[in-house]
Amino acid sequence: MENNENKQKKKRLLALLLLLLALLIGGGLLWKCNRSEGEGSLPTPSPVEKELEHEEQTTNTPRPLPNTRQTAYAQRKRERKVVVEQEVQEEPSVQVVEEVPVKKEIEKTIVKEERKAVEEEEEPDIEQEEEIAVDTAKAFRPSFKKSHFRFGPRLGIGYTSITRLGGILESYSVRPNFDMIEKGHLVPRIGLFGEWRYKRIGVELGADYTMFNTTLKKTTPLTGLVESYKFRYDILYTQLLGNVYLTPYMYMGAGVSVAFPFVSRNIDYTTNRNNFYQQVDALTRQHLRSSLDRKVQFMPTIKAGYQFVNGLELSLEYSYGISDFIETLANDYGYNERHNNTHFVSFTVGYDIFRY
């Protein structure tokens, strides 16, 4: 029993010695490794070292490190940083000289090619749109280079006067004891027109409704009698004109117009006498209408006009009747045959509803 216990004690002492020996050997190896690492590689800085290094960089004032190990570590780090900065400075210098300009030139070339491609794609569209706009404008714009035909309505106002009506009603064979005043009137005008044009020359046809209207007032001072005569005729007014274009828009024309009078009241007669003489006035009115007849009248015409691009046209026109408009028939009432004329001035606004 005692031998067994001695053997176990020896075994325990032997194990303890082996454990101590292992610890000593391990500590020596660990110390050797730490020493070799301190000489060949950089240890990881502690928070205190980082703070000191940051202050040193910001203030550029050297501060003493806590121990020689930190001093050696900072020195090695500075040397390593200098080496790294030199390498970084050397490498970009080569890239700036060689690679960057080449890259910029390539980028500029790509940008130029892209712009050129975009311009080539857009230019035909712009030119096509401009051509379409020009063609559309030319289609509705007067020009000296080609023929045109236009057609449309017109509306305006005119002034008419029939001359020498007083000579039909009175002979003036003796010294007149009355006053006679003739007065023209404003009349409407509405119709259609069409024009064919080649370069500077145009031929215009027109047909309008208008009126020839004149009033006579006869006053007899001795009796105080005032007589009023109203000559009013509805007219179909036709035209054939030749126009010369001074510009693509402005023209002057000349030709002939023909006035066709049709059914109307023709002549009205009133006086300032009382109702007792109403039958006499009605009888005089009947004599006038049966003794005076209207005729077709030929009227030389001059015209000036201006056309706008949108189809609107403004024109001023004057016509003068060279033939008799009122003919005096045989009668027993003292009415005389006198050559009479008609003046007609009108201003119209037309619009082309059709152009070719």
Side-chain angles (χ1 to χ4, degrees), residues 156-160 185-189 210-213 344:
I157 189 170
Y159 177 84
T160 60
H185 286 273
L186 294 175
V187 294
R189 179 176 177 180
T210 187
M211 299 176 67
F212 288 171
N213 196 347
F344 181 41

Side-chain angles (χ1 to χ4, degrees), residues 1-13:
M1 294 293 292
E2 292 179 358
N3 292 327
N4 292 332
E5 291 178 359
N6 291 327
K7 289 180 180 180
Q8 290 179 359
K9 288 180 180 180
K10 290 179 180 180
K11 290 179 180 180
R12 289 175 185 173
L13 289 173

Side-chain angles (χ1 to χ4, degrees), residues 237 239 241 253-257 299-303 317-320:
Y237 187 71
Q239 292 179 302
L241 303 176
V256 62
S257 301
M299 308 175 71
T301 302
I302 57 175
K303 182 179 181 180
E317 185 178 317
Y318 170 72
S319 300
Y320 176 75

Side-chain angles (χ1 to χ4, degrees), residues 48-298:
V48 176
E49 293 174 349
K50 290 183 180 180
E51 185 176 357
L52 291 173
E53 184 181 355
H54 178 70
E55 290 179 358
E56 184 178 335
Q57 291 178 357
T58 54
T59 59
N60 295 323
T61 57
R63 291 188 179 182
L65 295 174
N67 50 40
T68 57
R69 184 180 178 185
Q70 291 179 352
T71 303
Y73 166 74
Q75 182 67 26
R76 287 194 298 273
K77 187 172 182 180
R78 289 194 200 97
E79 293 175 355
R80 186 176 180 183
K81 185 176 181 181
V82 170
V83 173
V84 172
E85 287 178 354
Q86 290 177 357
E87 292 177 356
V88 171
Q89 289 177 357
E90 289 176 358
E91 291 178 1
S93 63
V94 176
Q95 292 179 356
V96 169
V97 174
E98 297 180 359
E99 297 180 1
V100 174
V102 175
K103 186 175 181 181
K104 287 184 178 179
E105 289 179 0
I106 294 172
E107 289 178 354
K108 288 181 181 180
T109 306
I110 293 171
V111 171
K112 288 181 180 180
E113 291 178 355
E114 290 178 353
R115 288 180 180 176
K116 187 176 180 181
V118 171
E119 290 176 358
E120 289 178 354
E121 290 178 357
E122 291 180 354
E123 283 180 358
D125 296 337
I126 295 172
E127 292 178 357
Q128 187 175 4
E129 290 177 0
E130 290 178 354
E131 290 177 358
I132 292 171
V134 170
D135 293 340
T136 305
K138 287 182 178 180
F140 297 99
R141 181 175 294 177
S143 173
F144 291 149
K145 296 182 180 180
K146 62 179 182 179
S147 61
H148 297 276
F149 178 76
R150 60 192 184 97
F151 172 81
R154 60 187 172 192
L155 177 67
I157 189 170
Y159 177 84
T160 60
S161 176
I162 305 172
T163 64
R164 300 178 184 175
L165 292 178
I168 295 175
L169 303 177
E170 297 291 340
S171 62
Y172 294 92
S173 58
V174 295
R175 183 176 181 179
N177 56 356
F178 58 86
D179 297 326
M180 185 78 74
I181 300 174
E182 299 183 11
K183 182 181 178 182
H185 286 273
L186 294 175
V187 294
R189 179 176 177 180
I190 182 171
L192 301 172
F193 72 94
E195 183 192 33
W196 178 82
R197 173 182 167 185
Y198 180 73
K199 294 185 178 180
R200 291 181 179 268
I201 304 299
V203 178
E204 180 180 347
L205 293 174
D208 304 81
Y209 165 78
T210 187
M211 299 176 67
F212 288 171
N213 196 347
T214 299
T215 299
L216 273 71
K217 187 176 182 180
K218 178 182 177 182
T219 304
T220 305
L222 295 177
T223 60
L225 178 63
V226 179
E227 302 172 84
S228 298
Y229 301 84
K230 293 182 180 179
F231 293 80
R232 183 173 55 193
Y233 300 91
D234 295 325
I235 301 295
L236 175 62
Y237 187 71
T238 59
Q239 292 179 302
L240 175 61
L241 303 176
N243 299 327
V244 177
Y245 283 82
L246 307 178
T247 70
Y249 308 101
M250 183 178 180
Y251 67 91
M252 297 188 69
V256 62
S257 301
V258 183
F260 296 93
F262 54 92
V263 177
S264 64
R265 298 180 65 182
N266 295 334
I267 304 172
D268 286 333
Y269 174 78
T270 58
T271 65
N272 63 344
R273 291 180 292 197
N274 55 30
N275 295 333
F276 180 78
Y277 293 96
Q278 285 185 357
Q279 293 181 354
V280 177
D281 294 345
L283 186 60
T284 303
R285 187 184 307 113
Q286 183 178 355
H287 292 165
L288 286 168
R289 292 178 179 180
S290 61
S291 301
L292 305 179
D293 193 13
R294 73 272 191 216
K295 296 172 61 177
V296 175
Q297 189 172 45
F298 293 89

